């Protein structure tokens, strides 16, 4: 029985199903791109870290 994980063909398009599968498949570039993006946003030595926080500073 499913515990709410994943996506369903009843509620998502084939394109959405494919994107989900690609992002959860270690043999696909999208999987590694997602991990790299997350690591970059968590690393203060990376420009993406500061770029992802620019909007928060502008709100002050």
């Amino acid at each position: 029985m499913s515990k709410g994980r994943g996506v369903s063909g009843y509620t998502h398009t084939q394109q959405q199903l494919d994107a989900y599968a690609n992002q959860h498949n270690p043999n696909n570039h999208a999987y590694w791109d997602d991990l790299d993006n997350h690591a970059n946003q968590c690393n203060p030595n990376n420009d993406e870290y500061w770029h992802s926080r620019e909007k928060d500073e502008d709100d002050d």
Side-chain angles (χ1 to χ4, degrees):
M1 179 182 253
S2 176
K3 294 187 179 192
R5 295 184 183 142
V7 293
S8 167
Y10 292 111
T11 57
H12 295 78
T13 66
Q14 185 61 49
Q15 183 179 6
Q16 290 171 319
L17 295 172
D18 291 345
Y20 180 85
N22 289 339
Q23 291 172 1
H24 293 84
N25 178 357
N27 295 319
N28 191 287
H29 288 289
Y31 175 87
W32 295 105
D33 290 345
D34 185 49
L35 287 180
D36 289 342
N37 181 48
H38 179 75
N40 289 341
Q41 289 184 9
C42 294
N43 180 358
N45 295 320
N46 190 290
D47 290 338
E48 223 20 72
Y49 174 90
W50 301 107
H51 176 46
S52 66
R53 286 158 176 76
E54 285 176 355
K55 292 183 180 168
D56 293 341
E57 294 171 7
D58 292 341
D59 291 340
D60 291 340

